[in-house]
Amino acid sequence: MIMEQRDSFTLTNPQTGNLAFKLCYFERNNPFDHIDKHNYYSLIWIQQGSGIIKADFNTYNFTSNTLLSFSPHQPFLLEAESPLSGLVINFHPDFFCIHKHHKEVACHGVLFNNIYNPPFVDVDAKAQANFNMVVEQIKTEMQNPALAQYELLVSYLKIFLITASRLKTEQQSEIQKERSDTEEPFILQNLKNYIETHYKTKHSASEYADMLAITPKALTKLTKAHFNKTLTDLISERIIIEAKRELYLTNKTVKEIAFELGYNDEYYFSRFFKKNAEVSPQLYRDTVGFDRISALQ
């Protein structure tokens, strides 16, 4: 069902009544000046204005034509230094799940759930034109719903996500090329590979430092300099990303997920999850949802 308000278009899930997809505008104000966690993905295109992003205990600066991307239940707020104008696209995992479609749009680990890079991308002139074209198509479709509306809206969302993912990948590659110190990125690339390989069995900073033949203190200094996060933060965030994926895509119990991630104590894991995700595993599943339809197929 579509609900249309001035400068706002919302598609709701007919089964639950919850938000499925939404496009809305904001003009010379800041609707993100307080921490407000949602059970959907958010793409926030700041077309005019500047300020500071606070997300995941880190702080970043942003300017006009910046696209911000946040995952479900990811806490963030914006401190505006000048009036903000732009648009927002929100979508629930039941409308489009980036985990299931990561091969199609490649935004998982780029726009969302990227523990190594800041949660935004600079929007250049070419991307602005592409985004504006897609947004106009979305508005037209939501104002005049017709056959296969869901499929068409998903297609437009995919185009938006692919464009943004390509742009961010290109920009991150340029940043890497500009770095003159080759030793530190090499060590950190190995660290990223080790975390990806061993995060289910190795949870401490010292274990990764040992594999890289460096002290935990020195390794954390590198991660703080390049990723603005401690080594412990990186390990924890990678575990949480996998836990969220399992909570949404499978019907495994919290105890089973905890065990597969290397935690024998379900209650310790639940406390760890809540500390890092700011919501309990069960509440995350209850609010983000469990993809029961796909699980039954």
Side-chain angles (χ1 to χ4, degrees), residues 114-175:
N114 188 325
I115 64 177
Y116 304 107
N117 296 319
F120 60 83
V121 58
D122 297 328
V123 182
D124 59 21
K126 181 179 178 181
Q128 287 179 48
N130 289 335
F131 287 159
N132 282 323
M133 178 183 67
V134 174
V135 167
E136 287 304 313
Q137 291 173 319
I138 290 173
K139 286 169 57 179
T140 298
E141 184 62 26
M142 295 190 78
Q143 288 174 309
N144 302 287
L147 184 67
Q149 182 200 46
Y150 171 90
E151 287 76 10
L152 200 54
L153 287 174
V154 168
S155 296
Y156 293 147
L157 177 60
K158 285 182 181 180
I159 294 171
F160 196 101
L161 292 172
I162 291 170
T163 301
S165 296
R166 287 177 175 176
L167 186 62
K168 186 165 186 178
T169 300
E170 291 170 4
Q171 291 178 6
Q172 292 302 322
S173 296
E174 289 299 319
I175 291 173

Side-chain angles (χ1 to χ4, degrees), residues 41 66 98 147 160 219 224:
Y41 294 95
T66 298
I98 66 169
L147 184 67
F160 196 101
L219 187 54
K224 285 291 289 183

Side-chain angles (χ1 to χ4, degrees), residues 76-125:
F76 71 93
L77 67 82
L78 306 184
E79 293 182 354
E81 296 174 347
S82 61
L84 305 182
S85 298
L87 63 88
V88 184
I89 295 176
N90 295 321
F91 61 97
H92 191 278
D94 286 342
F95 178 79
F96 184 77
C97 178
I98 66 169
H99 295 295
K100 289 192 296 184
H101 300 280
H102 69 278
K103 291 182 180 179
E104 300 171 37
V105 297
C107 62
H108 174 56
V110 180
L111 293 179
F112 305 103
N113 299 326
N114 188 325
I115 64 177
Y116 304 107
N117 296 319
F120 60 83
V121 58
D122 297 328
V123 182
D124 59 21

Side-chain angles (χ1 to χ4, degrees), residues 238-256:
R238 183 61 187 91
I239 296 169
I240 294 299
I241 287 171
E242 184 65 16
K244 288 180 175 179
R245 191 189 72 84
E246 291 289 314
L247 286 167
Y248 178 74
L249 289 180
T250 76
N251 62 354
K252 296 174 185 175
T253 65
V254 174
K255 183 176 182 179
E256 289 173 319

Side-chain angles (χ1 to χ4, degrees), residues 198-203 239 242-243 246-247 250 252-273 281 285:
H198 301 290
Y199 69 90
K200 293 182 179 180
T201 57
K202 300 183 185 298
H203 300 160
I239 296 169
E242 184 65 16
E246 291 289 314
L247 286 167
T250 76
K252 296 174 185 175
T253 65
V254 174
K255 183 176 182 179
E256 289 173 319
I257 295 171
F259 183 77
E260 291 180 4
L261 291 173
Y263 295 89
N264 293 321
D265 187 337
E266 172 190 354
Y267 301 102
Y268 177 85
F269 170 76
S270 292
R271 291 193 297 271
F272 166 80
F273 187 97
R285 172 172 275 171

